Structure formats: C-alpha cells, structure tokens
Amino acid sequence: MDAPLDPTQPDFNRLLQVLLQNPDFNPAQAAAALQQEWERQRMERAGPQPEQQDQGGENGHGPQENQRQPPPDQGQGPDQQPPPDPLPAPPRLPPAPEERPAAKEVEALTFNPDKTVASAIQRRPSEYAIKCLETFKYVPLWYFTLEGLAEVARVLRQDDAKESLALTQETGTGLSLRPTLSISASKFAKYDHNLTFSKFLFAKNNFLTHFERAKWPGLVVDSFNWFFYNLETHVLRQEESRGERVLLHYASRVRTNWHDASPTERFNIAAINENLMSSIARELDSRDIGRGVAW
C-alpha cells in the first residue's frame, strides 16, 4: 500500500508543480494530470526493488522480511535532494461539454442547394395583414392590392428613429419588438366595397395565396376560393358598374359577417345568397335615387 502524501517529500513537490505550471487546467484536466504524474512516480519507486533484492541476496545482507526499508531519499539533507524530473506534457483532454457547439445551432441555418431563385418574387403584404391571417381574423382586401403593397414599402423606408416600437407575440419564439406601423392597421386601408372591381380581383388572388400559407384548414380555403370565383363569374357583372358595385358590397358584408360569427354559426361562404344580393342591390339603388343619381 502506498504511503500518504507528505508535503516535505520531493514527490509532493512534483505533484504540486503540475498544478503550478498549468493554471488553466479545469478540474477534470488537473485530476488527470495529477493521476498521470502519481502513476509515473509509483513506477519509479517500484522499478529498482527487484534489483536491490537480488543484490542484497548475493551479498548476504538482504533486509529482514518484516523490516521496513527507509525511503530512497531518507537521510539526505535538503541540499542533497535530487532535482525534480522534467514534467511530462499535460494530457490533451476533450473540451468540456459547454465548449462544444450545440447541434441545434449548427442545423438551424441551412438551405436547399438544388433550389434556384424564383423568376418572380411576390411582394409581401404588411405584418398586420399577415398576423390577421395567422390568427384567422378578418383583414380588408386593400392590404393585398398594389396600393396596400406599396404602403408596406413606404413604411419600411421610414427612418427607424422616428418610428416607435411595440411588443408583439411571435409564434414559437415568444415576445419581440417590431415597428408599430408594421403591426397596426393602416390609416389608408379601405373597405372591400370601396375598391374597384379590377383591384378587388387582383387583391383576392394575392389574398388567397397568403391565405393558404397561413395554414387555414383546407375545407375553409376551398370555400373561399369558390366564393371569389362565384362573384367573379356572377351574372350581375353583365350590368357593368352597377352590378360590380353590388357584388363588392355583398363581398364586403359577407366576409365581415363570416369572421364575426361564432365557430358553430359560420356558414358556407361559397354559396351565394341571391336574396341578400337582391336586397343589397335595392338598397344601393335607393341611395342613388335619393342623391339624384341615375344609372
């Protein structure tokens, strides 16, 4: 059994030098280096013993079986101690777990090397419109017109120093700061019935694209697709301005009402209610008559 460490012995000083010469070791590296030095010293102490026993046997002056031999350095003065052996190079240990890059961070940023840039890039509507779609809320089609898309570009060009920030809830990422104008309703937004029919058709195509990207249920997406198709092909378009005006008011009211209804009361928006369409037409005609407008 090995004797305990003694600070007055050279062995202790050699172990101490391992730590003094490597102050940057972490606990695991220091323990490994001390263990390596301790094993080396044990081998040095154990190496000469067989040779000394053979020599003692030949001279007839071998030690008694139960007699304890003094350490090799015992009896020597402090000035007579042999110089410490050069220390071995510190072992190369793997980096601590916290020093290794996280696998998720490495895999988070990537791309498809086989995918090329699209020939046409669709303009993105405002963050406000996108958030409305992602939360299944009503959003005017104006945000998907050329005028609404241009408004987004104007907001982005504004000086950041003049624009206030607001906290928003991001899906899966918690709270974040965003420019207030990008997440609030635009003061230039228009109701669907205040659009021209050509702008309405342009906006509904853009709207349906982002509608699907917002992960609305497939049954709802199909219903809205048929809703816009039935308006675009409705017989009232043969009456030109008057008929298109009626169709726009119908679309504006029905879409708003669909979002206002509770989930159990939401209707199939694709089915055109001709009675409501006729009622809206009479209402608009009455307004025009009251203002002295003739068709």
Side-chain angles (χ1 to χ4, degrees), residues 105-113:
E105 294 180 2
V106 175
E107 298 174 357
L109 184 62
T110 185
F111 67 96
N112 183 352

Side-chain angles (χ1 to χ4, degrees), residues 216-230:
W216 283 56
L219 184 64
V220 178
V221 172
D222 291 341
S223 178
F224 270 81
N225 269 293
W226 279 109
F227 167 72
F228 287 113
Y229 174 80
N230 290 334

